Amino acid sequence: MQTTENRLRESYDVIVIGAGAAGMMAAGTAARSGKRVLLLEKMEKSGRKVRISGKGRCNLTNARPPEDFLTHVRTNADFFEVAFAEFNNKATIRFFERMGVKLDIERGERVFPRSGKAWDVANALLEYCVENGVKIEYNCRVQEILAAAGKVYGVKYMNKRGFSRKEEAPAVILCTGGMSYPGTGSTGDGYLFAADLGHAIEPVRPSLTPLKSSHAQMKYLEKLLLRNVRVKLFIEGEEVREEFGEIGFSERGIEGAVALRVSRDAVDALIDEKRVKLVVDLKPGLTEEMLRDRIERELQEMQPDEFFSELLRKLVPKPLVLPVANELDIHSKNYVRKLTEAEKMRLVKLLKGFVFPITDYAPFPYAVVTAGGIRCDEVNKYTMESLKVKGLYFAGEVLDLDANTGGYNLQIAFSTGRLAGLLKK
């Protein structure tokens, strides 16, 4: 039989589920204020997704002004605004610099660790927890959040030895992430826990994910990266979004920052079985008339017996030469002297609007974040506490919050994690 002393020693004020960006921020924040904190992580180490984010570099926030920053939050920005005011991007920068992580601000106001190593960000969050006395248990799979009479009182979980355990606490912070990159541990567990406790879940789907095209030329474009292009997204023939930047092509589909930014709208439209297409302007700095003059100047400098492919090489990257020729149905070995006025005009139109029908999107293993999640109108935006179950808090990707690529989604994790960890009532 346990003594009163043992029970007191083993009890906790708060249990945090999930040692990702939001979970570690929440756990460290709660512990720093003197709370006894247990952090449960089902993987073998903390911050798995943080460690691979930004292609291993970790774009941890964006330094844009608050009013500009919030325009990049795609869903429930008004809800997030409160958490952001409590712990904004400047606070995030100060936090990591105090933790010894030197930072640089790069193009697009994106903030990265100067070392170029995402591990530095993950390790700083872990150190924040450890130095404040958080007890961390790895390889622990939570099975249930325990609640009675509308209030949480602990969790039931399977420990690393395979034994079922129960820990009691008057507060539980759910930070299990979404469903993107499931190999890092984000497999949607939190949605089930929340639903079991009466919360509604906005349908989840991949966001910031590659888009798949049925275009016949896709097979020639793999590994191609196009910079400084303008992309327009059309749904049912209507332009709904325009972006400027870079796109890339891979076996996963059309990706790169521009494609990922428009993917949020494209995915929703595809789910609704609407017609979707991307129109890529390869020469956004030129009008059609200016491009027509450019082509004429190139032709004047060429020999009549030079091939059409050699003209294209002066206009587009080498991997695009064959696809452009195929799309125009002009043989790449045709002599430039045989080009008709109509063919020149078709070339101009194509370079100003290469159309890619979008037929599908890459699944969760390739998505940067998850759209959808626990409905924000069932959460107190001033505390992150559930409006249905007292003592239950949420933070991070498990909520119906997602944003553009560029450091915004990790900031959502840090801001909501910090606010939840304050355990305000």
Side-chain angles (χ1 to χ4, degrees), residues 404-425:
N404 289 333
T405 182
Y408 304 100
N409 289 288
L410 269 176
Q411 182 63 54
I412 287 174
F414 297 141
S415 296
T416 57
R418 171 56 67 100
L419 185 53
L422 293 174
L423 298 168
K424 293 182 177 180
K425 293 293 183 181

Side-chain angles (χ1 to χ4, degrees), residues 214-222 322-324 326-327 354 356:
S214 59
H215 200 293
Q217 305 308 318
M218 285 292 291
K219 59 186 175 182
Y220 301 111
L221 300 177
E222 191 171 322
L322 184 59
V324 168
N326 289 344
E327 186 74 0
F354 205 128
F356 292 90

Side-chain angles (χ1 to χ4, degrees), residues 3 6 16 49 68 97 100-101 103 136 165 190 212 237 241 251 255 264 289 302 308 338 340 356 378 408 411 420-421:
T3 66
N6 285 336
V16 180
K49 190 181 292 187
D68 191 1
E97 288 182 336
V101 181
L103 303 174
I136 308 174
R165 293 284 303 275
K212 296 180 180 292
R241 193 170 176 88
E251 73 281 358
E255 49 188 12
R264 177 68 159 75
E289 183 179 355
M302 295 179 70
F308 181 53
K338 293 185 176 181
T340 66
F356 292 90
E378 298 181 351
Y408 304 100
Q411 182 63 54

